[in-house]
Amino acid sequence: MVREKIIDSFFKRKNRDNEEVESLRHTSATNSHINVESVDKDEQRIEPSSVQLAQPPPCKAPRIEQERINIDIDTLIRDPGKRPLIWNYCVNQQDEIRRAYIKLGPYQILMDMYPLSGQEDRPRRFQAHWYKAFHWLEYSPEEDAVFCFPCYLFSKKLSPFTTKGFRNWKKVNNGKDCAFLNHMGKSPNSSHNVALRCYEDFKNHSCHIENVLSKLTEQQILSNRLRLKTTIDAVRWLTFQACPFRGHDESLTSRNRGNFLEMIKILADYNKDVKEVQKEIREEIGNSKFCLLVDEARDESKKEQMAVVIRFVDKSGYVKERFLDIVHVDDTTSSTLKQGICSILSRHNLDIQNVRGQGYDGASNMRGGLNDLQALILQECPYAYYVHCLAHQLQLVLVASSKEVAEVHTFFQTLNKIVNVVCSSCKRNDELQTAYENEIIHLVENNEIETGRGANQTGTLQRPAYTRWSSHFNSICSLLRMYNATILVLEDYAVKGSSSAQRGDAKYCFKAVMSFEFAFILHVMKEIMGITDKLCQALQKKSQDILNAMCLVSSTKALIQKLRDLGWDSVLENVKAFCNIRAISIPDMSGSFADLIRSRRQEDAVTVEHHYRVDLFNAIIDFQLNELNSRFSEQATELITLSTSLNPKNAFKSFNARDICSLVEKFYPSDFSIQERIQLEYELQHYEFEVLKDVNFQNLSTIGDFCQKLVETSKSNSYPLIDRVLRLVLTLPVSTATTERAFSAMKIIKTRLRSKMGDDFLKSYMIVYIEDEIAEKFTSDMIVDEFDNVKPRRLDHKK
């Protein structure tokens, strides 16, 4: 009977393999012996030592790990000409060797006289000052050669600077052919530069992957244990007490959602993250005056949510905008919103009398009349000055100009239709990208465009969104970039469309993009919106102050005015060049302004066309300028005008002590007593004599920088009243961008799949999600992710 084989026999090594392993193990143990002599620290002399290292085994042989060597920093071979290569050490020991050598640093021995070498008629020697120019150099007295310290530690590429050493001194300091420079290489990805980056990264021990993974793993373990422990405790208690898990009504409006969910809710109350974050924000605010930034929006479950953000200046002089709370409101009337704001402030122990600013988006319920929200807040605190969100004001300016000028309104309607026709179908969108890729290939072959990493991405046409006016600029830029590809797709679709309606839409859009009128408005709006987009992006910054924002508004108006005065010729030339490339018919506009009056009488079509284009160009810009000039109330304008006296720009050129006193007396009388107002006048005299002439304050550009510098130099203790004025002005709101970011986070957290999430869970998530900078300080995590959609399995106990 044949003996059955067990499964171990199929994986058992043959005797030949075992003998080979034993032979290799004996060879490795013999060759891994290293004699390391000690270092004579007094004379910086290193005695020679014999180092024999095991060669790597053949690739077919099994891998045998070398014997570990006990490392002692004092016994390491310092001379780079005598030490073994880092790759010859045991793999598991290489990092330990690197760390020891890095602690000792490059071996840069100083000698009174280095040995001569080279040609007999012109011998040369190593120069000690090369250490300063090339900090990575190491010198070996034994070999009279230099080595590269980072390459020895991390480079796998063999070179004279890592193996035998470099000693051809005549090739050093030889201009572009310098051997040291050639070793470093011009490319950031040269072997030396890569080794240097590895060297710097290795020294930064806190960023090592094992530490990062260990930290994340520990946090994840704690979070998972907390969640699991909560669930287990609830299940065990209910099981031992023979209590049912489910309730009769587990809806969000139910007062009793069942034993399991109610117990989870109680245990979740022990979570400290949300309370700790809000406590941290409250401690940051302290007794500072603050500004309210408020906005409302609907969540996925059609609930109206009001977000409240607090803007204040912290103890270090930095402007902070912190998400404080979100509350569900039954309606968006001003009285309901005001009641919600007061309840939030009361809950966080914030006095409404400390409000010194209000920032809203300009809706009618916010600032529309006598009973709007800002008026109701002013009744409680008369110094809570309202500033209309500058980002929304800019949007209203652009919207107004587009509505007032019929040609611009028609242009954006046509632009939206073009995007719909080209991008609404996946097939046409693929055709658009293919046409654009072919165009890029053709331009690259003719050297008409530059190439590089991240350049010439395909993308698609961007759709303009009326709630975000900056999206119109992106839409215009995308069409300009893909204009030729868009023409090809529309022309093809106008012939091959599946229905007459689709062919008609494509034919209308093709006719529009091939018209001079469309190309002209496209370029004009691109110039105008390119200027305003810079302002739009700057207004989104949390630390932006009102004075700097107004300076940006002024510079934007100046650039638009410059475009009106001097930009016509350049815009017209750009449009003509654009149309010539694409065979777009250009009307004859060779008439001059000098012939304008005569041309009108003679009905010269050429000059009339020219005059029409100029009038349209000026009308578009004039509407922009008029809207920008009429968006601020008299009170806000006066407040900002007086505040400019604090602007440190151009070495405090705008400083005016009288205006600062007027600012305090007229707008902040409750923050300064009569005695303090008198003291402020004398404090300003000393301030003008000392601070304005201090070199530390000469290169400041914003009052935010000024406030931080006062705290940094401890001048805020010497000039406390001026510091107080600065903080009050910095509290004035600029835009409601932070509240809009909160609603973006709300859409991420409360999705269609989680539309039943309760308000308390939503608030908890949003606070931790938005203020993650503060939340990271606490190691605990949410006990439960969400139990609104959880339907626990019913346990029936059979008796």
Side-chain angles (χ1 to χ4, degrees):
M1 182 175 179
V2 180
R3 183 179 178 183
E4 294 183 357
K5 293 185 178 180
I6 60 175
I7 194 166
D8 289 347
S9 63
F10 290 97
F11 299 96
K12 199 170 186 179
R13 293 183 182 273
K14 296 180 180 180
N15 293 334
R16 185 186 61 181
D17 293 339
N18 295 335
E19 293 174 0
E20 187 176 308
V21 170
E22 292 297 330
S23 175
L24 286 170
R25 185 174 299 164
H26 176 72
T27 304
S28 175
T30 303
N31 293 337
S32 62
H33 178 66
I34 297 179
N35 295 324
V36 183
E37 296 294 331
S38 61
V39 179
D40 189 346
K41 298 182 180 178
D42 297 333
E43 298 187 8
Q44 294 288 324
R45 298 280 299 176
I46 297 121
E47 296 296 330
S49 61
S50 59
V51 179
Q52 296 181 357
L53 297 169
Q55 298 297 324
C59 57
K60 293 184 178 180
R63 181 175 178 177
I64 305 299
E65 185 175 331
Q66 297 176 355
E67 182 180 343
R68 287 185 59 89
I69 308 167
N70 294 327
I71 301 301
D72 186 359
I73 294 179
D74 295 332
T75 61
L76 281 177
I77 302 175
R78 296 299 311 281
D79 192 316
K82 297 188 297 181
R83 68 193 175 195
L85 293 177
I86 195 73
W87 307 107
N88 290 337
Y89 286 100
C90 172
V91 174
N92 295 331
Q93 208 170 9
Q94 289 174 7
D95 282 350
E96 189 178 353
I97 300 290
R98 290 190 182 100
R99 196 169 291 111
Y101 272 116
I102 288 175
K103 187 173 182 180
L104 293 171
Y107 190 65
Q108 298 180 347
I109 184 171
L110 296 176
M111 301 173 61
D112 295 335
M113 190 69 67
Y114 293 92
L116 290 170
S117 62
Q119 300 176 358
E120 295 182 359
D121 55 340
R122 296 189 62 184
R124 293 177 174 85
R125 59 164 55 95
F126 176 79
Q127 304 294 325
H129 64 83
W130 291 341
Y131 288 143
K132 296 181 180 179
F134 305 96
H135 60 276
W136 44 267
L137 274 180
E138 292 186 295
Y139 179 76
S140 170
E142 183 76 16
E143 301 291 338
D144 184 28
V146 293
F147 295 79
C148 179
F149 187 56
C151 289
Y152 163 72
L153 294 175
F154 295 100
S155 179
K156 294 184 178 180
K157 183 178 180 181
L158 298 179
S159 71
F161 287 88
T162 58
T163 55
K164 298 180 180 180
F166 176 84
R167 63 176 61 86
N168 194 353
W169 311 126
K170 70 177 182 179
K171 290 188 177 182
V172 182
N173 293 335
N174 194 15
K176 295 182 179 179
D177 297 329
C178 175
F180 292 169
L181 295 177
N182 291 335
H183 169 69
M184 294 171 63
K186 296 180 180 180
S187 172
N189 293 324
S190 66
S191 60
H192 170 83
N193 289 328
V194 171
L196 189 60
R197 286 198 298 271
C198 294
Y199 172 70
E200 296 295 336
D201 293 340
F202 191 81
K203 291 195 297 183
N204 189 4
H205 188 68
S206 60
C207 294
H208 287 188
I209 188 169
E210 65 271 12
N211 295 331
V212 175
L213 289 177
S214 176
K215 181 179 179 181
L216 293 178
T217 304
E218 289 177 0
Q219 292 178 352
Q220 188 176 8
I221 289 173
L222 290 174
S223 303
N224 292 339
R225 284 178 178 174
L226 190 58
R227 294 188 182 97
L228 183 61
K229 182 178 182 300
T230 305
T231 306
I232 291 175
D233 288 345
V235 172
R236 286 180 62 188
W237 191 89
L238 292 172
T239 303
F240 291 152
Q241 300 300 323
C243 296
F245 278 52
R246 282 181 176 268
H248 295 288
D249 183 7
E250 292 188 350
S251 64
L252 295 176
T253 57
S254 174
R255 294 185 177 181
N256 185 355
R257 300 178 63 194
N259 294 331
F260 181 77
L261 293 181
E262 292 296 333
M263 178 165 288
I264 289 292
K265 186 177 179 181
I266 292 174
L267 295 175
D269 289 339
Y270 288 96
N271 179 55
K272 304 298 181 182
D273 274 7
V274 176
K275 294 181 180 180
E276 289 293 338
V277 172
Q278 291 181 325
K279 180 182 178 182
E280 184 83 5
I281 295 174
R282 182 63 187 87
E283 291 177 354
E284 273 190 333
I285 299 172
N287 296 323
S288 304
K289 310 300 179 183
F290 58 89
C291 163
L292 290 173
L293 300 175
V294 182
D295 202 357
E296 77 277 348
R298 287 186 179 182
D299 61 19
E300 183 62 33
S301 60
K302 308 304 179 185
K303 287 185 177 181
E304 198 72 35
Q305 305 286 356
M306 179 178 66
V308 177
V309 174
I310 298 293
R311 178 185 174 94
F312 61 97
V313 183
D314 66 6
K315 297 177 181 179
S316 301
Y318 288 88
V319 177
K320 297 290 183 65
E321 289 186 2
R322 294 297 192 191
F323 175 75
L324 187 64
D325 216 331
I326 187 169
V327 61
H328 167 57
V329 290
D330 297 330
D331 54 64
T332 58
T333 60
S334 55
S335 58
T336 303
L337 297 180
K338 192 244 181 181
Q339 183 179 357
I341 292 172
C342 291
S343 65
I344 290 175
L345 296 179
S346 176
R347 190 183 313 138
H348 295 284
N349 197 23
L350 292 169
D351 189 356
I352 195 172
Q353 296 299 325
N354 286 335
V355 179
R356 289 297 178 270
Q358 304 178 70
Y360 313 132
D361 61 0
S364 58
N365 60 333
M366 297 290 198
R367 43 90 65 191
L370 296 176
N371 293 321
D372 58 4
L373 179 60
Q374 62 104 4
L376 295 178
I377 297 293
L378 283 172
Q379 292 177 7
E380 297 284 341
C381 182
Y383 306 112
Y385 301 112
Y386 169 72
V387 177
H388 186 186
C389 171
L390 296 187
H392 280 268
Q393 288 194 63
L394 179 62
Q395 178 179 331
L396 292 174
V397 168
L398 298 169
V399 170
S401 66
S402 68
K403 289 181 178 179
E404 292 295 331
V405 182
E407 290 83 355
V408 177
H409 177 74
T410 304
F411 165 78
F412 280 114
Q413 293 286 90
T414 306
L415 175 62
N416 196 39
K417 191 173 186 64
I418 291 171
V419 176
N420 288 335
V421 171
V422 175
C423 299
S424 59
S425 167
C426 296
K427 179 182 177 181
R428 291 193 295 275
N429 190 60
D430 292 341
E431 293 175 355
L432 176 71
Q433 293 185 354
T434 301
Y436 185 59
E437 289 174 1
N438 295 333
E439 181 185 357
I440 290 175
I441 294 172
H442 176 72
L443 294 174
V444 170
E445 290 176 350
N446 296 333
N447 295 323
E448 296 183 23
I449 58 174
E450 295 182 357
T451 59
R453 184 176 181 180
N456 307 317
Q457 299 293 317
T458 54
T460 187
L461 297 182
Q462 296 190 24
R463 191 181 308 276
Y466 285 98
T467 56
R468 292 291 180 272
W469 195 256
S470 60
S471 66
H472 288 66
F473 178 63
N474 296 331
S475 181
I476 288 173
C477 293
S478 67
L479 180 59
L480 281 170
R481 187 178 66 253
M482 308 183 75
Y483 207 89
N484 294 341
T486 303
I487 291 175
L488 293 176
V489 173
L490 290 174
E491 186 178 16
D492 182 71
Y493 192 55
V495 178
K496 301 178 180 179
S498 58
S499 65
S500 58
Q502 293 176 349
R503 292 192 296 272
D505 290 340
K507 195 172 295 183
Y508 169 81
C509 293
F510 177 75
K511 184 178 179 180
V513 296
M514 293 300 293
S515 67
F516 180 82
E517 178 79 13
F518 185 85
F520 176 76
I521 302 294
L522 180 69
H523 280 77
V524 172
M525 293 308 299
K526 182 244 183 184
E527 293 294 330
I528 294 175
M529 300 190 71
I531 296 172
T532 56
D533 188 65
K534 297 294 183 183
L535 175 61
C536 183
Q537 299 301 323
L539 294 177
Q540 306 302 314
K541 296 180 179 179
K542 293 183 179 182
S543 59
Q544 191 69 264
D545 62 77
I546 189 69
L547 294 187
N548 196 51
M550 292 309 300
C551 290
L552 292 172
V553 172
S554 300
S555 63
T556 301
K557 291 193 292 185
L559 290 173
I560 294 176
Q561 184 65 48
K562 181 180 178 181
L563 179 65
R564 187 192 190 281
D565 297 337
L566 305 174
W568 164 253
D569 291 334
S570 62
V571 171
L572 183 60
E573 290 301 320
N574 291 337
V575 175
K576 287 182 177 180
F578 181 84
C579 292
N580 286 329
I581 295 174
R582 292 156 182 83
I584 298 174
S585 178
I586 303 174
D588 190 355
M589 295 184 294
S590 58
S592 63
F593 283 107
D595 300 329
L596 177 60
I597 304 300
R598 185 174 67 257
S599 67
R600 285 178 175 174
R601 290 196 299 266
Q602 297 174 354
E603 296 184 356
D604 185 350
V606 174
T607 309
V608 169
E609 178 68 26
H610 184 278
H611 178 62
Y612 164 72
R613 297 296 172 188
V614 174
D615 281 351
L616 178 59
F617 178 78
N618 292 336
I620 295 173
I621 297 177
D622 287 342
F623 275 110
Q624 297 259 350
L625 293 173
N626 292 335
E627 288 294 326
L628 281 172
N629 290 326
S630 61
R631 285 291 169 182
F632 285 94
S633 64
E634 293 183 4
Q635 184 188 51
T637 302
E638 185 180 4
L639 174 59
I640 294 169
T641 302
L642 293 176
S643 299
T644 54
S645 301
L646 297 165
N647 197 341
K649 200 172 183 180
N650 298 325
F652 297 90
K653 183 179 179 181
S654 303
F655 174 76
N656 190 316
R658 184 178 301 177
D659 286 348
I660 296 175
C661 293
S662 299
L663 173 68
V664 170
E665 185 174 355
K666 189 168 185 177
F667 290 96
Y668 300 107
S670 64
D671 296 299
F672 296 86
S673 64
I674 297 177
Q675 184 64 30
E676 286 177 332
R677 292 178 220 168
I678 298 173
Q679 292 176 357
L680 178 62
E681 297 179 8
Y682 294 100
E683 191 172 289
L684 285 169
Q685 295 178 11
H686 292 276
Y687 162 83
E688 183 178 7
F689 181 79
E690 180 187 1
V691 176
L692 301 190
K693 297 179 181 179
D694 192 338
V695 293
N696 294 322
F697 293 85
Q698 295 303 307
N699 297 322
L700 304 178
S701 57
T702 66
I703 57 173
D705 297 336
F706 184 27
C707 187
Q708 295 163 24
K709 184 64 70 172
L710 280 177
V711 177
E712 181 182 332
T713 58
S714 300
K715 295 291 185 183
S716 57
N717 297 328
S718 303
Y719 301 97
L721 299 179
I722 296 175
D723 179 71
R724 193 186 306 174
V725 178
L726 286 171
R727 291 171 181 270
L728 288 170
V729 174
L730 285 171
T731 302
L732 291 173
V734 177
S735 71
T736 58
T738 308
T739 58
E740 293 165 5
R741 292 189 188 98
F743 292 131
S744 298
M746 181 177 69
K747 291 180 180 179
I748 294 173
I749 294 170
K750 193 168 184 176
T751 63
R752 185 172 299 177
L753 294 175
R754 295 191 292 242
S755 60
K756 294 182 180 181
M757 176 180 284
D759 293 336
D760 291 337
F761 281 104
L762 175 63
K763 178 179 70 173
S764 302
Y765 277 109
M766 287 187 65
I767 291 175
V768 176
Y769 181 86
I770 297 172
E771 298 299 342
D772 55 348
E773 175 189 349
I774 299 177
E776 287 178 357
K777 298 180 182 179
F778 312 109
T779 56
S780 60
D781 199 355
M782 302 299 294
I783 291 181
V784 288
D785 288 337
E786 179 199 347
F787 281 91
D788 290 332
N789 291 327
V790 172
K791 296 299 181 185
R793 192 175 175 183
R794 185 166 185 170
L795 299 180
D796 295 325
H797 299 279
K798 297 182 179 180
K799 296 183 180 179

